Amino acid sequence: MYNILIVDDEIEILELIEVYLKNDGYNVLKASNGEDALKIIDNEDVQLAIFDIMMHGVDGLQLCMKVRNKYNIPIIMLSAKSQDMDKINGLSMGADDYITKPFNPMELLARVKAQIRRYFYLCGANKVEDNKDVLEVKDLTINKRNHKVYAYGEEVKLTPTEYKILVLLATERGKIFDSEEIFKSIWKEKYFDGNNTVMAHMWRLREKIEYDPKQPKIIETVWGVGYKIDE
């Protein structure tokens, strides 16, 4: 479940957005000012933030700039103004999208979905310094924080075993793993010659992540030796 932070000093707006986001399955965090929002972001695992520009104290533009200095989460700005300069200012401070009040809640929901989808395809880490939790290999993105895998921009559903095999190979790119090494690492059991377990799982894994499983480009076979993922 994704955590969405809403920051607005209008309680009615907070509650309206909260209802739509919760109905769509998101977990909602709320703040009515920039100071509280910063505390939440520092202490919670936030995947996306929605900031109102016009707030007392730390306004949305200042908040966006402060957050962007430390975090790489998507930010959507809200404003009652519709002038181009407000949009330009918001985007120049690091916002990813901008929507003008009054807005259609369904449009805001669609933009939230689009930003989260783009975020996890291309980045996936909450904090900039936490990018070690994301492995990017060719057309593959592995988010170790939430165990999500994207191939060619689409999320793929892996079994826990398939995921472990993929992470093992992707973590040590360039290293060739033979079937025995993979089996012992994943299943934690003694390996016997003729055991086709790894081969079977590898085929199913390739069916999910490779554009053409018969000519794999991500997980390569080193004939007579084993498997590897290169840079």
Side-chain angles (χ1 to χ4, degrees):
M1 180 182 294
Y2 297 113
N3 293 323
I4 311 294
L5 171 64
I6 315 168
V7 189
D8 198 311
D9 54 9
E10 295 184 57
I11 302 302
E12 296 82 4
I13 296 295
L14 283 177
E15 293 178 347
L16 173 66
I17 298 175
E18 179 183 22
V19 168
Y20 277 86
L21 290 176
K22 283 190 172 181
N23 285 343
D24 210 58
Y26 297 106
N27 184 52
V28 175
L29 305 168
K30 297 183 293 183
S32 58
N33 58 73
E35 292 84 356
D36 289 345
L38 288 172
K39 293 177 183 177
I40 291 174
I41 292 177
D42 282 335
N43 292 284
E44 301 287 345
D45 188 17
V46 176
Q47 278 76 49
L48 180 143
I50 301 171
F51 298 156
D52 181 41
I53 287 182
M54 304 299 291
M55 294 189 295
H56 298 294
V58 178
D59 65 24
L61 294 176
Q62 294 172 314
L63 178 59
C64 182
M65 184 171 58
K66 288 176 181 290
V67 170
R68 192 53 81 223
N69 285 336
K70 295 174 62 179
Y71 301 94
N72 199 31
I73 61 174
I75 297 173
I76 298 176
M77 304 295 290
L78 301 178
S79 176
K81 298 182 179 181
S82 58
Q83 287 89 345
D84 289 340
M85 187 53 64
D86 293 305
K87 180 176 182 179
I88 292 171
N89 287 337
L91 297 175
S92 66
M93 291 295 181
D96 298 282
D97 202 354
Y98 182 102
I99 191 167
T100 304
K101 296 179 180 178
F103 55 85
N104 184 328
M106 296 305 295
E107 180 185 355
L108 176 60
L109 188 60
R111 296 194 183 198
V112 167
K113 290 180 179 179
Q115 288 299 326
I116 286 182
R117 185 166 59 246
R118 186 175 302 119
Y119 172 63
F120 281 100
Y121 287 166
L122 301 179
C123 178
N126 187 15
K127 299 181 181 179
V128 172
E129 62 267 27
D130 283 343
N131 280 338
K132 63 180 181 295
D133 289 332
V134 177
L135 299 173
E136 295 189 4
V137 185
K138 299 177 182 178
D139 293 298
L140 195 70
T141 300
I142 306 167
N143 188 326
K144 295 195 292 182
R145 180 186 292 271
N146 56 22
H147 287 203
K148 289 184 179 292
V149 176
Y150 300 90
Y152 302 97
E154 298 290 336
E155 183 178 357
V156 294
K157 300 295 185 181
L158 302 182
T159 67
T161 299
E162 291 165 352
Y163 175 81
K164 290 177 183 178
I165 293 173
L166 183 61
V167 170
L168 175 67
L169 297 176
T171 301
E172 298 194 55
R173 275 167 273 185
K175 178 180 176 180
I176 302 173
F177 289 85
D178 61 29
S179 294
E180 182 174 354
E181 286 180 283
I182 296 173
F183 186 86
K184 288 181 177 179
S185 177
I186 304 302
W187 281 270
K188 311 295 183 184
E189 297 177 6
K190 186 176 180 180
Y191 179 82
F192 295 95
D193 289 338
N195 188 331
N196 293 323
T197 302
V198 172
M199 185 184 299
H201 278 80
M202 197 65 70
W203 173 251
R204 287 196 293 270
L205 177 57
R206 281 171 165 166
E207 283 188 315
K208 295 179 180 181
I209 68 170
E210 299 280 2
Y211 183 77
D212 181 359
K214 295 181 179 179
Q215 296 182 333
K217 302 296 184 182
I218 298 174
I219 300 179
E220 301 176 33
T221 296
V222 181
W223 295 108
V225 183
Y227 307 93
K228 70 172 181 175
I229 291 180
D230 276 332
E231 294 288 347

